[in-house]
Amino acid sequence: MTIQATSPSAPRVERPARSSFLNDPDKRGYIIQAVLLVLVVAFIWWLGHNTAQNLQRLHIASGFGFLNERAGFNIGQSLIPYSGDRSYGYALLVGIINTIEVAILGIVIATIVGVLVGVGRLSSNWLIRQLATVYVELFRNIPPLLVIFFWYFGVLAVLPNPRDAINLGLGFSLSNRGLFTPKPIFEHGALYVGIAILVGIVAAWALSRWATARQMRTGQQFPSFWAGLAVIVVLGAASFAATGAPLHFDIPVKTRFNLNGGSQLGPELVSLLLALAIYTASFIAEIVRAGILSVSHGQTEAAYSLGLKVGPTMRKIILPQALRVVIPPLTSEYLNLMKNTSLAVAIGFADLVAVGGSILNQTGQSVEVVLIWMLVYLGLSLIMAVLMNWYNRKMALVER
Amino acid sequence: MKRTFLPALAGAALALSASFAGAATLDTVKQKGFLQCGVNTGLPGFGNPNEKGEWTGFDVDYCRAIASAVFGDPTKVKFTPLDAKERFTALQSGEVDVLIRNTTWTMSRDTSLGLKFAGVNYYDGQGFMVKKSLGVKSVNELSGASICVQSGTDTELNLADYFKSHNMQYNPVVFEKVSEANSAYDSGRCDAYTTDQSGLYATRLQLQKPDDTIVLPEIISKEPLGPVVRQGDDVWFNVVKWTHYALLDAEELGVTQQNADQMKSSDNPDIKRLLGVQGNFGQGIGLSNDWAYKIVKGVGNYGELFEKDLGQSSPLKIQRGENALWNKGGLQYGMPIL
Ligand SMILES: N[C@@H](CCC(=O)N[C@@H](CS)C(=O)NCC(=O)O)C(=O)O
């Protein structure tokens, strides 16, 4: 509606007939586009052809056959079972999964920290506001690689060696090999507990839908969050007891060199995550702040005058509207974080670039490995962009 | 992504150039007026800039030897520091004319990378070092240890093979830059550090407390290290190969940097041919006939280089061992100039 007010649609101007085919802007446009397309395709073909010829003339092996060969090297961190007997292709997969792991964890942490700091910058509390400002100004101005080194060589490395690990109790311990935690081992019957919890979640979700619908209809509120939580906990606990507590913990024990057993959160992953999350959070905070400021203050005043408290005003009125402004720049921060995961090589975290680097050197097939790198990052970025665009559209203002 | 820049650049070069890294390296080197040599980023004894920023080391001196053979001037070299991952790409793409960077001669590197090894300037083997406080006396006690290693090396592969065949576990911590691997070992991130034994001696000296670390006695692999050139350029291959032999022959014949001039009037026909007093051997490799004289005059002979950079006159104090001449119980053998 606003658009019409500002730019009244002018009647379409009839173009006089052109004397020549080439003077018709529409047709000319098509021709230019077609010629460009042919040129681009020809250029790409020429690049590929030239590369292949040069490789052949230089006696450098080429092709992607190497992906099936035995890798032969070990990888320090892997979420899937891996040994040197697997293929190069499988080793790359380990690297890709590690990259995705860091990206997802990093995005989650960065978003939480970023939103808190962004809201903090607008807080009415002077101290919180200053702290948030210092955070943003400090971390967005330090290159992330330095922050990684800071954590890895500055903080985590000065922790004691595993033999003198700091015992945090309950089987948790901290050393320069990272954080060791007890590892839950699920026994037979744990599946039923899982199913029970899942049922609980579905029930809680149904409950909250019902509560919302009822509130819409009658205006009555229902504590659906607490009720839902209770359903989940009760179902989980009951089934846990009924199946005879099918869970025990594998506690890490000290051996000559390391701690064995349990789960380990290595210093490489931790410093990379902390650095990327903290760095990206400083940008997200600014985006969130701008988003909140973009919602007119009248909205807050209206909410207050309806009797809403500060918390619900923020959650239910301001943030949902701010989100529309926030999502597009947030997407590019997420993409940045994902690409920055490649800084992992500096501290020996086995991400896509690190593993690819080993393969590149063992096989010498740099052109192929670089191509794979580019395609994987491009693919991951596109997937992320598609997801974020979908979310953006879902969040867009629905005009009634 | 800076670290992946070189391979990407090489890829671009491969894709864009019409006739790539022309065959006649010797001609281009002569034309440029200097040799572009790929060396270590920093490994004392082999390739390392000193406090004044001058390059020092055994491999670096090999570069100077080649420059001496071509130009009669050991200073006509420019050095390109390369880490393990970058080195072959840099050579393939023509960024360097020769790679002399403690690189192990293996079959795959010699055959499928489009490269050729011109000789073995140092016979080495892979070893381990550990902190003394661990009380470890042998590699076979290292099961369960975290081990620091540089990526893109055959060290990475030997390590995996050795532990697998001995039924031992380990946790690799893989670094791209030697400096990062060193700090990680120093800070206790790893229990052990593995690389070529020569590299261990050098790296150990760079640690904060070298005396707290010992090198274990076992050698788990053969690491013949040598200069590498591109395949398909026989003239240049010969220049590099024969520079190596000339250095060895000079040691065998007792020709040193000091006495090279007097030796020119020696009656020994081997010395006469080496120094270009007799015969036209230089022509065969596209150089002047006194090419070997220029090498010895420029940098000294093999023994002198070893002594200065790696041996008793150096901080590393490495024994000649396998790198003694063949007639002194070692493996180094210069082909005859005849
Ligand atoms: N000889 C082995 C290892 C060579 C290597 O890269 N060694 C490391 C560890 S001593 C090194 O020299 N690094 C120094 C650097 O990156 O400049 C190979 O050719 O793969």
Side-chain angles (χ1 to χ4, degrees):
Chain A
M1 324 95 83
T2 42
I3 297 177
Q4 263 180 3
T6 50
S7 63
S9 59
R12 197 177 147 79
V13 186
E14 279 306 319
R15 284 205 212 89
R18 301 288 172 178
S19 49
S20 150
F21 175 74
L22 273 180
N23 283 343
D24 184 333
D26 278 346
K27 298 213 177 79
R28 204 168 51 199
Y30 283 125
I31 293 173
I32 291 175
Q33 298 219 9
V35 168
L36 260 180
L37 185 71
V38 169
L39 282 180
V40 168
V41 169
F43 180 65
I44 291 176
W45 177 85
W46 177 78
L47 279 185
H49 177 76
N50 214 16
T51 308
Q53 277 210 327
N54 276 327
L55 286 174
Q56 204 175 18
R57 205 165 34 75
L58 292 171
H59 314 281
I60 301 174
S62 60
F64 286 91
F66 70 99
L67 287 175
N68 291 321
E69 280 159 34
R70 179 178 180 275
F73 58 87
N74 274 4
I75 297 180
Q77 310 89 358
S78 174
L79 290 179
I80 51 178
Y82 172 83
S83 83
D85 288 329
R86 302 281 188 150
S87 66
Y88 285 124
Y90 191 83
L92 270 178
L93 185 67
V94 171
I96 294 175
I97 292 178
N98 281 342
T99 292
I100 295 177
E101 178 196 13
V102 175
I104 291 180
L105 291 178
I107 283 173
V108 170
I109 302 176
T111 309
I112 295 173
V113 176
V115 170
L116 289 180
V117 174
V119 172
R121 285 205 72 176
L122 297 169
S123 164
S124 50
N125 181 319
W126 183 86
L127 186 64
I128 295 182
R129 215 165 52 230
Q130 297 311 314
L131 283 178
T133 308
V134 168
Y135 177 96
V136 169
E137 290 306 333
L138 189 65
F139 286 108
R140 91 180 155 171
N141 291 315
I142 302 181
L145 184 62
L146 287 187
V147 186
I148 294 178
F149 281 144
F150 168 75
W151 286 107
Y152 192 65
F153 289 120
V155 178
L156 295 174
V158 298
L159 289 169
N161 66 41
R163 290 162 294 282
D164 313 317
I166 306 172
N167 198 334
L168 304 174
L170 291 174
F172 286 75
S173 67
L174 198 60
S175 68
N176 60 14
R177 303 289 156 80
L179 176 69
F180 283 82
T181 65
K183 183 172 164 186
I185 308 278
F186 298 106
E187 289 152 23
H188 193 69
L191 184 66
Y192 300 109
V193 181
I195 293 175
I197 291 177
L198 213 65
V199 169
I201 291 175
V202 172
W205 175 74
L207 194 68
S208 97
R209 293 213 32 157
W210 168 81
T212 317
R214 194 182 70 147
Q215 190 180 356
M216 289 289 216
R217 227 174 35 244
T218 66
Q220 275 175 302
Q221 293 195 355
F222 182 81
S224 58
F225 177 76
W226 296 110
L229 196 66
V231 172
I232 298 173
V233 169
V234 168
L235 273 178
S239 61
F240 188 71
T243 50
L247 172 75
H248 73 267
F249 286 96
D250 178 23
I251 312 259
V253 284
K254 277 180 201 172
T255 61
R256 183 164 184 183
F257 300 109
N258 278 324
L259 291 138
N260 258 1
S263 324
Q264 177 190 11
L265 208 54
E268 289 80 23
L269 178 63
V270 174
S271 23
L272 184 63
L273 257 185
L274 282 177
L276 289 185
I278 286 175
Y279 174 74
T280 313
S282 62
F283 290 91
I284 294 182
E286 285 300 273
I287 293 173
V288 168
R289 183 172 75 115
I292 292 174
L293 287 178
S294 76
V295 180
S296 97
H297 194 62
Q299 301 270 343
T300 316
E301 281 166 0
Y304 286 168
S305 67
L306 286 173
L308 281 184
K309 298 212 182 66
V310 182
T313 303
M314 194 47 118
R315 279 202 315 276
K316 296 216 146 77
I317 311 287
I318 310 296
L319 283 184
Q321 298 187 69
L323 217 50
R324 284 195 293 274
V325 183
V326 165
I327 292 173
L330 196 61
T331 309
S332 69
E333 283 314 319
Y334 286 175
L335 290 173
N336 275 344
L337 186 143
M338 201 196 64
K339 285 178 282 182
N340 280 339
T341 56
S342 65
L343 294 170
V345 277
I347 51 165
F349 180 74
D351 80 323
L352 173 63
V353 175
V355 175
S358 278
I359 296 176
L360 185 155
N361 206 261
Q362 305 300 357
T363 60
Q365 303 206 276
S366 40
V367 176
E368 290 82 354
V369 172
V370 171
L371 257 180
I372 292 176
W373 276 336
M374 296 197 306
L375 288 180
V376 171
Y377 278 109
L378 186 68
L380 290 179
S381 296
L382 286 179
I383 293 173
M384 183 124 77
V386 166
L387 285 178
M388 290 301 281
N389 282 343
W390 167 80
Y391 187 61
N392 191 22
R393 232 170 302 134
K394 211 172 107 111
M395 282 292 129
L397 195 60
V398 188
E399 293 187 33
R400 285 187 252 231
Chain B
M1 293 289 285
K2 182 191 136 256
R3 285 155 191 271
T4 56
F5 182 66
L6 189 71
L9 187 76
L14 283 167
L16 289 171
S17 71
S19 89
F20 184 76
T25 310
L26 180 59
D27 293 340
T28 31
V29 168
K30 281 181 177 164
Q31 218 165 38
K32 278 189 297 193
F34 63 88
L35 173 77
Q36 192 78 43
C37 200
V39 294
N40 277 112
T41 57
L43 186 65
F46 286 87
N48 196 31
N50 65 12
E51 313 84 58
K52 283 179 245 146
E54 294 154 358
W55 284 94
T56 62
F58 191 62
D59 282 346
V60 161
D61 283 337
Y62 255 72
C63 299
R64 297 204 173 105
I66 298 170
S68 305
V70 177
F71 301 110
D73 180 352
T75 63
K76 298 221 160 138
V77 197
K78 291 193 180 164
F79 297 100
T80 307
L82 299 167
D83 68 34
K85 196 170 108 182
E86 295 163 339
R87 55 185 158 172
F88 299 124
T89 325
L91 182 59
Q92 289 167 337
S93 65
E95 187 179 326
V96 296
D97 301 311
V98 57
L99 174 73
I100 314 184
R101 184 206 166 283
N102 61 351
T103 296
T104 305
W105 185 343
T106 67
M107 180 161 175
S108 62
R109 289 174 180 175
D110 204 23
T111 55
S112 60
L113 297 190
L115 307 177
K116 226 164 160 53
F117 283 79
V120 178
N121 68 348
Y122 190 97
Y123 288 97
D124 206 346
Q126 183 175 338
F128 291 78
M129 63 182 182
V130 294
K131 296 261 160 67
K132 264 185 194 155
S133 59
L134 285 173
V136 171
K137 294 276 175 312
S138 152
V139 177
N140 298 332
E141 294 170 42
L142 280 180
S143 189
S146 292
I147 301 180
C148 278
V149 58
Q150 201 174 1
S151 81
T153 55
D154 58 5
T155 318
E156 218 183 340
L157 301 181
N158 294 330
L159 175 67
D161 282 353
Y162 186 84
F163 273 69
K164 181 160 189 268
S165 62
H166 286 72
N167 260 320
M168 303 195 298
Q169 309 294 316
Y170 71 103
N171 177 11
V173 190
V174 187
F175 293 91
E176 190 165 303
K177 303 263 175 234
V178 69
S179 53
E180 285 154 6
N182 292 358
S183 340
Y185 174 79
D186 232 346
S187 71
R189 174 65 187 92
C190 308
D191 302 300
Y193 186 113
T194 182
T195 184
D196 303 335
Q197 196 148 42
S198 61
L200 285 182
Y201 285 110
T203 307
R204 185 168 160 272
L205 292 179
Q206 290 180 314
L207 298 176
Q208 279 159 14
K209 292 185 192 138
D211 290 335
D212 289 356
T213 282
I214 53 162
V215 175
L216 296 177
E218 286 96 342
I219 298 282
I220 65 162
S221 71
K222 291 189 287 189
E223 306 288 333
L225 313 178
V228 200
V229 296
R230 283 179 290 275
Q231 241 176 61
D233 185 352
D234 291 351
V235 175
W236 183 241
F237 174 70
N238 281 339
V239 169
V240 176
K241 180 170 68 176
W242 281 97
T243 300
H244 172 53
Y245 292 149
L247 285 166
L248 290 172
D249 287 334
E251 181 183 7
E252 192 178 330
L253 297 169
V255 182
T256 65
Q257 195 170 17
Q258 297 269 303
N259 70 13
D261 287 311
Q262 293 110 292
M263 281 292 194
K264 272 191 158 171
S265 45
S266 157
D267 292 333
N268 183 333
D270 286 331
I271 295 180
K272 282 184 169 165
R273 285 191 296 267
L274 175 75
L275 297 181
V277 182
Q278 208 176 71
N280 293 325
F281 297 97
Q283 273 175 20
I285 54 173
L287 300 177
S288 64
N289 283 331
D290 60 350
W291 63 284
Y293 163 80
K294 288 177 180 162
I295 294 175
V296 183
K297 192 72 194 151
V299 299
N301 66 34
Y302 182 91
E304 288 176 286
L305 292 185
F306 197 102
E307 174 66 17
K308 168 166 80 85
D309 295 320
L310 303 167
Q312 300 308 316
S313 326
S314 78
L316 284 106
K317 309 223 179 314
I318 299 178
Q319 306 284 334
R320 279 297 285 271
E322 277 139 20
N323 293 298
L325 290 182
W326 62 282
N327 53 6
K328 304 249 172 66
L331 295 171
Q332 291 293 0
Y333 190 108
M335 304 306 153
I337 295 176
L338 195 68

